[in-house]
Amino acid sequence: MIKAGQIDKGTALLIKGQPFVCIDREFVNPGKGSAFVRLKLKNPGTGQILAETMKSQDNAEDITVEDRDCQYLYNDGESFHLMLTDTYDQIEVPMANFPDYEFLMKDGDTYRCTFWEEQLLDIQIPSKVVYLVAEAEEAIKGDTVQGATKYVVTETGLKVKCPIFIKQGEKIRVNTETKEYLERVNS
Amino acid sequence: MKHIDKLKAAKNRSTLYSNIRNFFNQKNYLEVETPSLSPTLIPESTIENFSTQFTSEFLPSKELYLIPSPEIFMKQLISEGFPSIYQFSKCFRNSEQIGKQHNIEFTMLEYYSINMDEQDSIELTSEMIRKTHLKDCPSWALPPFRKMSVNDAMKQYCDVDLEKCQKQSLLYEKAIKLGLSNVKRNESWESTFNRIFLTFVEPNLPQDKPLILDNYPKQIDCLATNDKSSPFKKRWEMYIGGLEVANCYDELKDKEKVEEYYKKEYSTLIRERSLTNRVIPDIDHEYHEIFNSFPQTSGVAIGMDRLLMSQMNIDNIEGVILFPFSDIIR
């Protein structure tokens, strides 16, 4: 058991027998009221999102999770196929539970994954990742407007708004939470 | 905060304070200054307090408290026959979350208007913001206000009619139906209400204009009068950009009811804090006596730091405070 006030992003809880991971947390003090935490929770098994408000002194049932390394193999359009690097066991998870992850994960790369009783709860993608630019429009000649941008597509299919000087074959660092361009990486 | 932003925040605060002073002075409100340290507080079980020690070679030492609001002294002035008054006051609330919306020391603008009720205070507050706001204030932070009752908001956003759920057991059923898992069968009506309100209503309140949310449930005990024909209090809160910025009462002036509030709230406060090391402030058991001569009054408290945030279009309170608490305790 933990106090609701100690729940943070990433904390795993058991609610009505189902595992949920906290994806957003906000403290609220209503004008004439005690301290509450407003939580957004996600059941990684079903993708269900749950809104919940707890008093910071409420008890919540936290669950012990473990992190294991998984290699991302491929997706078949419906599921991600991953392999546990320690046992070589393969696992399959519905892509719908991890929206947009197909554009963020690179085939063959290894990710830390959170498990609860054999169930995959979370695939931890680093907050900043370097991607190869697979497609980029040519910058229009004479377009010298400061701060002008264009879209490029990475090796994983992620569409990113970039400064116009980024060319195909170059590498860029991207914030995977906001999917925003951060900088050009010289290789 | 960068030096340039800090300077801008300081200048904006100075301008806004000066505009507000002019506004109230023109309306013949008297600016007052009351103590920050007090030997007693109004009991409020949900607000944690700071205590300190008065020491002297000549007088017995005494525990004193930093005020969470200037209400205790300002009401005393009203009972002594003062005209309508206002004050910018430093207020202190212990244990508040340190973050984007709270600073444990903050500035409250509090004004008490004689011969006015909470509806008149809406007009006054609207006029005040309209006439005093900063030049670059975004339009969503400016009047005209939207207005909605708490019950209409509950009905609209989660289909709960509070008039039909006056018993906790009924509200509990609604909460379970809405999918809340942590709600307790034996908790207070207020706790269950807050869980529903904070989960389904507050995050969805309109933000295109300042919102007056009025008629708060009478189960949330405070020093506002009860509406005679409904289970609500004559109290409103103002939200700007989704953030709670002001609170207003039609001030309770019935001394028996004030005494009753004091007893009930203080016993809750003691019950909740006695097994912990939280501060239990002294209270003045005779405070209700000031209501022997208390005129019809409406009081408004505005969090100035939050008002500044809205007018500067900044979403972090630390962007308007020169020395935020999180910086000075590092």
Side-chain angles (χ1 to χ4, degrees):
Chain A
M1 286 287 178
I2 56 166
K3 294 280 176 214
Q6 295 168 320
I7 297 171
D8 207 345
K9 269 189 196 177
T11 305
L13 302 172
L14 197 65
I15 293 174
K16 296 176 191 162
Q18 294 281 320
F20 281 87
V21 179
C22 172
I23 52 173
D24 202 10
R25 177 206 63 175
E26 187 189 0
F27 286 94
V28 270
N29 270 72
K32 296 281 160 195
S34 47
F36 285 83
V37 269
R38 187 152 47 207
L39 305 170
K40 206 185 245 181
L41 304 157
K42 184 181 164 188
N43 180 335
T46 61
Q48 184 198 355
I49 302 281
L50 191 70
E52 180 76 63
T53 301
M54 298 187 189
K55 278 189 165 182
S56 41
Q57 290 305 313
D58 279 353
N59 286 316
E61 193 174 346
D62 56 336
I63 50 182
T64 313
V65 293
E66 62 168 343
D67 279 351
R68 296 171 74 178
D69 282 339
C70 287
Q71 190 182 22
Y72 172 49
L73 303 175
Y74 64 96
N75 76 66
D76 58 17
E78 287 194 352
S79 299
F80 291 121
H81 294 259
L82 300 124
M83 182 183 71
L84 285 156
T85 56
D86 46 3
T87 61
Y88 304 112
D89 285 338
Q90 284 200 23
I91 47 172
E92 201 180 318
V93 283
M95 287 171 69
N97 296 353
F98 296 95
D100 290 346
Y101 275 42
E102 70 262 39
F103 305 121
L104 298 174
M105 292 196 293
K106 295 191 227 173
D107 293 358
D109 271 12
T110 299
Y111 296 93
R112 292 298 279 171
C113 292
T114 310
F115 285 85
W116 175 68
E117 293 183 350
E118 305 294 309
Q119 190 182 341
L120 179 88
L121 297 187
D122 193 21
I123 304 170
Q124 300 169 26
I125 294 183
S127 57
K128 293 170 188 173
V129 174
V130 175
Y131 293 100
L132 185 71
V133 176
E135 289 172 41
E137 299 161 23
E138 283 295 311
I140 300 155
K141 262 195 189 156
D143 189 353
T144 53
V145 181
Q146 278 259 314
T149 55
K150 65 177 183 185
Y151 280 98
V152 302
V153 180
T154 68
E155 58 189 312
T156 53
L158 183 69
K159 217 172 158 189
V160 185
K161 203 174 179 184
C162 281
I164 49 169
F165 57 76
I166 298 293
K167 293 188 195 74
Q168 188 178 334
E170 287 186 318
K171 287 181 176 167
I172 56 169
R173 200 181 308 279
V174 174
N175 178 331
T176 54
E177 273 179 35
T178 59
K179 302 185 182 73
E180 280 168 1
Y181 164 88
L182 295 171
E183 60 186 351
R184 176 161 60 180
V185 181
N186 296 319
S187 46
Chain B
M1 225 193 309
K2 283 182 295 195
H3 170 75
I4 189 158
D5 295 337
K6 220 167 160 169
L7 194 61
K8 187 178 167 197
K11 284 181 177 171
N12 278 336
R13 189 181 284 267
S14 166
T15 304
L16 186 59
Y17 283 28
S18 135
N19 292 351
I20 290 175
R21 283 196 163 98
N22 286 338
F23 174 81
F24 279 114
N25 294 346
Q26 274 172 15
K27 290 205 172 286
N28 292 318
Y29 280 61
L30 180 64
E31 181 170 11
V32 295
E33 196 171 288
T34 59
S36 290
L37 277 174
S38 174
T40 62
L41 297 179
I42 295 175
E44 282 193 86
S45 61
T46 58
I47 296 178
E48 302 290 331
N49 308 114
F50 284 96
S51 69
T52 185
Q53 203 68 26
F54 165 71
T55 56
S56 158
E57 281 181 57
F58 312 104
L59 293 166
S61 67
K62 189 158 184 52
E63 193 168 46
L64 298 174
Y65 312 96
L66 285 168
I67 52 155
S69 128
E71 178 180 0
I72 192 165
F73 292 110
M74 291 183 82
K75 284 186 173 168
Q76 202 163 317
L77 294 177
I78 296 290
S79 82
E80 287 170 17
F82 268 58
S84 296
I85 50 178
Y86 75 96
Q87 165 166 224
F88 290 98
S89 168
K90 275 294 177 95
C91 298
F92 305 85
R93 297 186 181 187
N94 212 342
S95 308
E96 291 229 324
Q97 180 59 27
I98 297 163
K100 289 172 81 172
Q101 300 175 349
H102 298 98
N103 200 63
I104 57 160
E105 172 178 352
F106 62 99
T107 305
M108 193 101 97
L109 164 66
E110 200 148 313
Y111 42 101
Y112 287 85
S113 307
I114 291 175
N115 293 326
M116 279 174 49
D117 66 11
E118 88 291 354
Q119 296 302 315
D120 300 322
S121 279
I122 298 176
E123 296 307 314
L124 178 71
T125 304
S126 170
E127 185 188 347
M128 191 261 290
I129 293 181
R130 192 161 45 81
K131 289 187 175 165
T132 63
H133 69 82
L134 296 173
K135 217 170 61 216
D136 297 326
C137 178
S139 77
W140 51 261
L142 291 176
F145 293 164
R146 271 174 176 269
K147 199 175 146 191
M148 194 188 256
S149 74
V150 171
N151 200 28
D152 282 344
M154 291 286 284
K155 286 191 250 182
Q156 181 171 340
Y157 298 110
C158 55
D159 201 23
V160 173
D161 184 346
L162 295 175
E163 292 202 60
K164 292 180 182 154
C165 299
Q166 285 295 297
K167 279 192 190 155
Q168 194 267 342
S169 55
L170 295 172
L171 204 55
Y172 170 84
E173 301 291 328
K174 290 279 183 191
I176 294 292
K177 235 181 228 170
L178 286 164
L180 293 179
S181 66
N182 237 48
V183 55
K184 314 267 183 309
R185 204 176 270 284
N186 55 0
E187 67 184 6
S188 66
W189 188 96
E190 179 183 349
S191 289
T192 311
F193 165 79
N194 272 324
R195 290 178 198 276
I196 300 175
F197 178 80
L198 294 173
T199 310
F200 302 105
V201 179
E202 202 192 64
N204 296 312
L205 292 172
Q207 301 188 6
D208 57 339
K209 278 288 166 192
L211 173 75
I212 301 287
L213 201 59
D214 73 352
N215 292 331
Y216 270 71
K218 70 170 182 343
Q219 290 87 343
I220 303 176
D221 213 0
C222 64
L223 294 171
T225 57
N226 285 331
D227 183 45
K228 287 191 179 70
S229 57
S230 71
F232 302 107
K233 279 191 182 288
K234 296 177 79 168
R235 167 188 164 206
W236 54 257
E237 298 234 0
M238 176 169 65
Y239 283 84
I240 305 183
L243 189 60
E244 198 184 304
V245 172
N247 182 45
C248 168
Y249 295 166
D250 179 49
E251 298 291 349
L252 193 61
K253 53 183 192 293
D254 177 333
K255 68 182 253 193
E256 274 81 38
K257 286 193 174 138
V258 173
E259 189 180 8
E260 195 183 310
Y261 167 86
Y262 253 66
K263 281 186 179 153
K264 208 172 136 204
E265 189 65 18
Y266 199 47
S267 71
T268 306
L269 185 152
I270 289 174
R271 191 179 63 239
E272 287 178 357
R273 298 187 193 177
S274 53
L275 294 173
T276 66
N277 54 6
R278 292 145 76 197
V279 173
I280 299 179
D282 280 337
I283 61 162
D284 175 1
H285 293 276
E286 302 305 317
Y287 189 70
H288 57 272
E289 293 298 336
I290 71 165
F291 294 90
N292 279 326
S293 54
F294 202 83
Q296 166 63 41
T297 303
S298 171
V300 180
I302 294 189
M304 284 307 296
D305 309 282
R306 290 182 173 187
L307 187 68
L308 257 174
M309 281 164 71
S310 72
Q311 299 201 359
M312 289 175 66
N313 202 358
I314 289 177
D315 69 354
N316 191 336
I317 199 164
E318 300 194 341
V320 299
I321 294 176
L322 302 184
F323 297 94
F325 185 67
S326 64
D327 278 359
I328 59 175
I329 55 159
R330 261 212 301 253

